[in-house]
């Protein structure tokens, strides 16, 4: 499964290896000397092996994470605005209160992800695997879910106005109160 993934020592951004940037980020969160928040804005992290990585609060704006393996990574409060996460493996990732406006998560494997209180305005989830995800209190205005698998997803306490759910089986999805009545009356 990890065959073909890029090694963190070989990925460079702004003159440093990704491994160095992530070590400084760990020091930053531990309040140790030499710590610095990971700023990976615009970085090419496509196909990177980022399993179990702590990227809490990291800046990943417009980063290319296409096809990366982020299973079990911690990204609460991270800025992924405009990031490309197409076909990324995000299973069991914590994205609580992360910023993902205009992020591309098309065809991503995102089952078990915590999207609680995320900004997902205009995010693209087309054909994504979104089983057992929590979208409670997330901002989804303009998000596209066409063809996504949302089995047992939680959309309670979520405003679904301007959200494209075409072709999505919502039979096991926990929807906002009164949502079914509104759709049936239409």
């Amino acid at each position: 499964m990890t065959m073909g993934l890029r090694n963190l020592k070989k990925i460079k951004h702004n003159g440093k290896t990704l491994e160095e940037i992530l070590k400084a980020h760990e020091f930053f969160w531990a309040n140790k000397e030499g710590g610095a928040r990971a700023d990976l804005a615009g970085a090419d992290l496509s196909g990177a092996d980022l399993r179990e990585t702590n990227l809490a609060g990291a800046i990943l704006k417009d980063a290319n994470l296409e096809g990366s393996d982020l299973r079990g990574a911690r990204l609460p409060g991270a800025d992924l605005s405009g990031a490309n996460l197409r076909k990324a493996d995000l299973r069991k990732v914590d994205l609580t209160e992360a910023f993902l406006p205009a992020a591309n998560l098309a065809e991503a494997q995102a089952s078990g992800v915590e999207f609680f209180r995320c900004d997902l305005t205009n995010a693209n989830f087309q054909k994504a695997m979104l089983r057992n995800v929590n979208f409670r209190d997330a901002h989804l205005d303009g998000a596209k879910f066409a063809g996504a698998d949302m089995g047992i997803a939680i959309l309670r306490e979520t405003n679904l106005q301007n959200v494209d759910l075409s072709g999505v089986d919502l039979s096991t999805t926990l929807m906002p109160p009164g949502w079914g009545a509104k759709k049936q009356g239409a």
Side-chain angles (χ1 to χ4, degrees):
M1 183 77 185
T2 60
M3 243 168 87
L5 289 175
R6 293 169 64 203
N7 185 306
L8 305 186
K9 293 176 186 170
K10 295 185 178 173
I11 300 172
K12 289 203 166 205
H13 182 67
N14 292 338
K16 292 182 180 174
T17 68
L18 184 53
E19 189 177 60
E20 292 169 325
I21 293 167
L22 294 175
K23 186 174 214 86
H25 190 69
E26 283 294 330
F27 285 176
F28 172 78
W29 281 104
N31 265 338
K32 290 183 181 173
E33 196 173 314
R37 181 186 306 266
D39 186 347
L40 295 160
D44 180 6
L45 307 174
S46 59
D49 184 356
L50 295 165
R51 287 173 294 166
E52 306 291 327
T53 305
N54 177 13
L55 288 163
I59 301 163
L60 293 150
K61 186 178 172 118
D62 298 319
N64 181 7
L65 292 144
E66 183 167 353
S68 291
D69 189 343
L70 290 141
R71 283 178 290 173
R74 295 187 55 246
L75 289 149
D79 183 354
L80 290 141
S81 308
N84 179 12
L85 292 151
R86 188 173 176 271
K87 293 189 176 182
D89 192 337
L90 301 165
R91 285 177 286 181
K92 307 271 193 238
V93 169
D94 183 2
L95 282 160
T96 301
E97 296 181 342
F99 301 95
L100 293 109
N104 181 7
L105 293 106
E107 300 177 70
Q109 170 55 268
S111 293
V113 171
E114 189 62 55
F115 288 109
F116 181 60
R117 286 197 282 210
C118 280
D119 182 350
L120 297 161
T121 308
N122 296 315
N124 179 7
F125 287 98
Q126 292 174 322
K127 297 182 181 172
M129 179 62 73
L130 299 166
R131 294 180 87 56
N132 300 304
V133 297
N134 182 4
F135 285 107
R136 264 185 52 237
D137 214 13
H139 301 283
L140 294 171
D141 193 37
K144 297 175 210 70
F145 290 93
D149 183 341
M150 296 182 74
I152 319 170
I154 300 170
L155 287 167
R156 290 237 164 102
E157 299 169 41
T158 305
N159 183 347
L160 296 176
Q161 189 173 338
N162 301 321
V163 174
D164 178 6
L165 291 164
S166 57
V168 178
D169 178 0
L170 299 170
S171 60
T172 60
T173 305
L174 298 173
M175 301 302 288
W179 189 85
K182 288 178 198 163
K183 288 292 175 189
Q184 290 167 354

